[in-house]
């Protein structure tokens, strides 16, 4: 008999320390007014002694606690992150150790702010192929890759983790998807460059490990490619979406996309005012918040659109029944 993936539980974890715009303006030439009016962000959470694996492990523990499962019942763990503790072991393997998921295989995926959407798509295909239960997480400590002297990027981002439990179900819940990438435009959002210090390596470089962004180019990309992507998924499927959960980069992007797509703004959930842009973690944190406050129910009655977009460039939309 065929089986399909269903989201049966959500969870998240935010580090305790919150930093307001006013606090940033104490050591950076910026202001609450500028940040709030350009981005909708009022504060963000940042780590003081934790790394991405800690945040993801706590989000996974939150999911297990709510769902009543133990780690050993999981078949797989997928973590979307661009800020892993190490290149190896993966954050997913660190989470596996932390929650004692002895029977799971675990790996990270790198698709920046689309990472959770890509990971969820992949996780659902794992379930279709026969696995029974897995966790898909998005987690980031972007504070460690930000150039805190660059006001044009440092004010935008935050740290956090969120995720979902995916389980086998007899009816399909993932109705449609369209995932896209364009590596030719990758230079407009970069971070984590690693200089080759080998004695055999001869090239010098201007590249840096700090996050660098061409904000205007990214804004334009969302208005063209991301808008088209969402429109295509909606037009090719006759399903009405109840809610839209987009990557939480900037409230102006969401306001403008809603207008462009001619979809009522109140269908777009937002929480970047509290968390800033948490890259791969933003959609699962928003999803968990909406499930926790009762806006979203995991009872197969609501259709939602999840859309990620960001570095790579990568972007993609999933249409699913929760
Ligand atoms: N505080 C105060 N002033 C700032 C500032 C800050 N934190 N950051 C930039 N500025 C200044 C600039 O230096 C510039 O000054 P100038 O005109 O004297 O040169 C001015 O504000 C306007 O900068 P500009 O880049 O034109 O602003 P903008 O209206 O395009 O807004 C972004 C900038 C980054 C908010 C906007 O481009 C954006 O949202 N882009 C998408 C970014 C994003 O979401 N990326 C992640 C996607 S995954």
């Amino acid at each position: 008999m065929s089986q399909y993936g269903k989201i049966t539980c959500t969870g998240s974890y935010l580090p305790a320390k919150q930093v307001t715009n006013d606090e940033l303006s104490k050591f950076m030439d910026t202001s609450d007014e500028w940040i709030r009016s350009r981005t909708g962000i009022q504060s963000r959470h940042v780590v003081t002694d934790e790394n991405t694996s800690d945040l993801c492990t706590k989000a996974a523990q939150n999911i297990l606690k709510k769902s009543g499962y133990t780690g050993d019942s999981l078949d797989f763990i997928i973590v979307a992150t661009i800020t892993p503790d190490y290149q190896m072991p993966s954050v997913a393997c660190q989470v596996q150790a932390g929650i004692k998921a002895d029977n799971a295989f675990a790996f990270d995926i790198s698709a920046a702010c689309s990472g959770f959407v890509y990971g969820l798509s992949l996780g659902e295909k794992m379930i279709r192929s026969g696995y029974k239960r897995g966790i898909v997480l998005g987690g980031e400590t972007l504070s460690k890759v930000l150039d805190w002297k660059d006001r044009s990027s440092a004010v935008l981002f935050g740290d956090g983790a969120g995720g979902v439990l995916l389980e086998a179900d007899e009816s399909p819940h993932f109705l449609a998807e369209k995932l896209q990438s364009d590596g030719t435009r990758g230079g407009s959002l970069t971070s984590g460059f690693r200089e080759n210090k080998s004695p055999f390596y001869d090239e010098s470089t201007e590249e840096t490990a700090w996050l660098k962004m061409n904000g205007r180019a990214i804004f334009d990309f969302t208005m063209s490619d991301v808008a088209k992507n969402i429109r295509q998924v909606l037009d090719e499927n006759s399903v009405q979406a109840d809610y839209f959960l987009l990557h939480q980069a900037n409230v102006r992007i969401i306001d403008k996309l809603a207008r462009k797509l001619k979809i009522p703004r109140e269908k777009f959930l937002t929480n970047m005012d509290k968390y800033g842009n948490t890259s791969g973690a933003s959609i699962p944190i928003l999803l968990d918040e909406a499930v926790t406050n009762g806006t979203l129910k995991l009872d197969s009655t609501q259709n939602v659109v999840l859309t990620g977009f960001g570095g790579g460039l990568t972007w993609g939309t999933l249409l699913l029944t929760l």
Side-chain angles (χ1 to χ4, degrees):
M1 202 178 73
S2 299
Q3 61 174 36
Y4 306 91
K6 165 155 181 37
I7 296 174
T8 55
C9 188
T10 62
S12 61
Y13 175 79
L14 277 306
K17 186 170 178 59
Q18 294 176 50
V19 179
T20 63
N21 295 341
D22 283 333
E23 283 171 87
L24 292 183
S25 67
K26 288 185 188 145
F27 64 92
M28 210 182 274
D29 183 14
T30 189
S31 66
D32 177 55
E33 199 283 317
W34 193 96
I35 302 170
R36 211 184 269 248
S37 63
R38 303 291 172 122
T39 71
I41 297 165
Q42 299 177 25
S43 68
R44 69 286 293 140
H45 290 244
V46 295
V47 291
T48 53
D49 58 359
E50 296 161 302
N51 211 328
T52 301
S53 65
D54 302 305
L55 308 190
C56 286
T57 301
K58 287 169 189 169
Q61 283 165 342
N62 184 231
I63 293 170
L64 292 177
K65 189 168 171 217
K66 285 190 205 170
S67 64
Y69 287 113
T70 50
D72 61 1
S73 70
L74 299 176
D75 294 326
F76 62 85
I77 300 168
I78 301 174
V79 175
T81 185
I82 48 165
T83 49
D85 307 21
Y86 306 96
Q87 281 179 344
M88 66 177 178
S90 64
V91 173
C93 282
Q94 292 175 285
V95 171
Q96 179 199 18
I99 61 171
K100 300 189 173 50
D102 306 340
N103 302 310
F105 59 92
F107 61 95
D108 291 356
I109 62 165
S110 170
C113 308
S114 312
F116 180 73
V117 165
Y118 277 36
L120 195 54
S121 162
L122 194 57
E124 205 269 335
K125 290 174 180 71
M126 296 282 184
I127 301 275
R128 283 188 197 223
S129 76
Y131 296 103
K132 295 274 181 265
R133 188 174 303 119
I135 281 185
V136 182
L137 300 161
E140 308 284 5
T141 47
L142 290 153
S143 57
K144 73 187 179 196
V145 298
L146 294 175
D147 176 356
W148 288 95
K149 294 194 178 69
D150 175 12
R151 67 177 182 172
S152 68
S153 60
V155 302
L156 304 176
F157 297 92
D159 301 336
V164 299
L165 184 69
L166 269 181
E167 291 190 85
D169 193 81
E170 58 203 22
S171 46
H173 294 265
F174 284 59
L175 310 178
E177 70 172 38
K178 185 163 180 62
L179 307 184
Q180 296 183 261
S181 306
D182 179 4
T184 65
R185 288 183 278 166
S188 45
L189 185 48
T190 60
S191 87
F193 182 79
R194 272 197 126 177
E195 204 179 333
N196 190 335
K197 302 253 180 68
S198 145
F200 308 106
Y201 197 75
D202 224 9
E203 277 297 301
S204 62
T205 177
E206 298 287 298
E207 289 291 341
T208 139
W210 300 126
L211 184 144
K212 280 195 308 179
M213 181 180 68
N214 179 339
R216 190 52 64 84
I218 297 294
F219 202 99
D220 292 346
F221 147 69
T222 61
M223 289 310 132
S224 55
D225 303 84
V226 178
K228 212 179 293 169
N229 173 277
I230 298 172
R231 174 51 59 211
Q232 198 171 336
V233 170
L234 294 176
D235 287 351
E236 285 173 5
N237 296 276
S238 50
V239 175
Q240 286 287 323
D242 297 295
Y243 287 103
F244 292 75
L245 283 75
L246 272 51
H247 168 50
Q248 300 290 291
N250 183 317
V251 80
R252 286 198 308 172
I253 290 179
I254 295 193
D255 292 344
K256 250 183 134 169
L257 277 175
R259 277 202 300 277
K260 191 161 182 167
L261 293 164
K262 298 190 173 52
I263 294 166
R265 174 62 178 82
E266 55 273 18
K267 286 191 169 196
F268 290 75
L269 304 182
T270 60
N271 65 2
M272 81 282 280
D273 55 328
K274 291 177 283 187
Y275 307 124
N277 176 347
T278 56
S279 190
S282 84
I283 294 175
I285 292 172
L286 182 65
L287 189 56
D288 183 46
E289 191 175 273
V291 169
T292 304
N293 70 25
T295 306
L296 297 180
K297 296 163 188 63
L298 302 175
D299 62 357
S300 308
T301 58
Q302 293 165 312
N303 297 318
V304 299
V305 162
L306 307 185
T307 301
F309 51 85
L313 297 178
T314 58
W315 64 107
T317 291
L318 303 180
L319 172 62
L320 52 134
T321 304
L322 281 185

